[in-house]
Amino acid sequence: MLQFFQKSEKLLGVDRGRRKYDLPLDKTEGTGFLKVLILMMTILAVMAFAVFFVLSDITKRWTSGLENKATVEIPAQDTDGNAIEQSVIETYLKQSSQILKQKPYVAEAQIMDEADIQKLVAPWLGEDTNLTDIPLPGLISVSFQAGMSADMNALKQELESINPLIRIDTHQSWLNDVLRFAGALQFGSVLLLSIIGVITFSAVAGAVKSRIAVHKDEVELLHLIG
C-alpha cells in the first residue's frame, strides 16, 4: 500500500513522456519543411542585406575619394608618336601648375613625381618591369574647392595653349559607369529582399491555412465550446 502511494507521488504533476492532447492540434506534418524554408529565406535575406550595405559603403568611398578631383596629363609622345624629352614635359608641368594655382576654384595642384607615376602604371606593366627607359607622361593631381563650380572648358583651353595634347580627366566618365553598376546591384539586392519577403509570407500563410483546413472540425468544436 505504501509503495502504491509513493509511486503515485512520483508521477503527480510530472509528465516524463510526451504530452497527450485530446484534440490532435499538435500534428506536425509539413512543419519541418516550413522551418527549413524559413531558415533558407533568412540566410538569403541576411546575405542580401550584407551585399546592400557593402555596396553602399564602397560607393561612398569611391565618391568621396574622387569627388572634386581631376588629373591633368601631359602626354609623353607627340602627334607623330615621337617621345617628348623629359625636360620639355617638366616645363609643361610647371606652366600648367601655375595656371591651375591661379584659379580660385582650385584648392591644390600637385605635380606627381616619377616614383608615384611608376606606382600607378606598375599594375599594368608589372612590378618587375624596368620603367626607367619607358617615357612616362607628366601628371598633376588637382583638387577643386568644395561648393565652387569650375569652368572646365575655359581651363582646358588655357592648358591646351601650352600643349594641344594636354588632357583633363575628371574621372566622371568611368566613375558614373561604376556607380551605375553598383546601383544596379543594390537595386537587385532590394528586389531579392522583396521576393524573399513575399515567398516567406506566402509560405507561412499557406501553412497556417492548410493546418486550419486539416483541423477544421477541431477548430469549429473549440469555437462552439468558446
Side-chain angles (χ1 to χ4, degrees), residues 107-141:
E108 183 182 7
Q110 182 179 2
I111 298 176
M112 301 180 64
D113 55 20
E114 186 176 351
D116 294 333
I117 298 175
Q118 289 181 357
K119 290 180 181 179
L120 292 176
V121 300
W124 286 270
L125 300 180
E127 298 290 342
D128 300 331
T129 304
N130 187 7
L131 303 177
T132 55
D133 298 331
I134 299 177
L136 298 176
L139 299 178
I140 301 177
S141 178

Side-chain angles (χ1 to χ4, degrees), residues 27-48:
K27 293 182 179 180
T28 58
E29 291 83 356
T31 57
F33 172 76
L34 181 62
K35 292 178 181 179
V36 174
L37 178 62
I38 294 177
L39 177 61
M40 294 175 61
M41 293 296 104
T42 303
I43 294 175
L44 290 176
V46 172
M47 293 176 62

Side-chain angles (χ1 to χ4, degrees), residues 65-80:
L66 295 177
E67 189 177 9
N68 297 325
K69 292 183 180 295
T71 302
V72 176
E73 178 185 352
I74 290 87
Q77 295 179 341
D78 56 17
T79 55
D80 297 330

Side-chain angles (χ1 to χ4, degrees), residues 126-197:
E127 298 290 342
D128 300 331
T129 304
N130 187 7
L131 303 177
T132 55
D133 298 331
I134 299 177
L136 298 176
L139 299 178
I140 301 177
S141 178
V142 184
S143 299
F144 297 102
Q145 296 284 357
M148 295 185 64
S149 59
D151 190 353
M152 300 302 298
N153 292 328
L155 180 61
K156 183 179 179 181
Q157 291 178 0
E158 289 189 50
L159 294 176
E160 286 180 349
S161 64
I162 300 174
N163 185 349
L165 299 179
I166 291 180
R167 297 187 304 173
I168 302 179
D169 186 6
T170 58
H171 314 293
Q172 291 297 325
S173 57
W174 67 269
L175 183 59
N176 289 335
D177 295 336
V178 173
L179 294 179
R180 193 178 299 110
F181 178 71
L185 292 179
Q186 285 181 310
F187 176 78
S189 63
V190 173
L191 182 62
L192 179 61
L193 282 173
S194 302
I195 295 174
I196 291 173

Side-chain angles (χ1 to χ4, degrees), residues 56-67:
S56 178
D57 183 66
I58 292 176
T59 302
K60 289 180 181 179
R61 290 183 182 181
W62 285 340
T63 304
S64 60
L66 295 177
E67 189 177 9

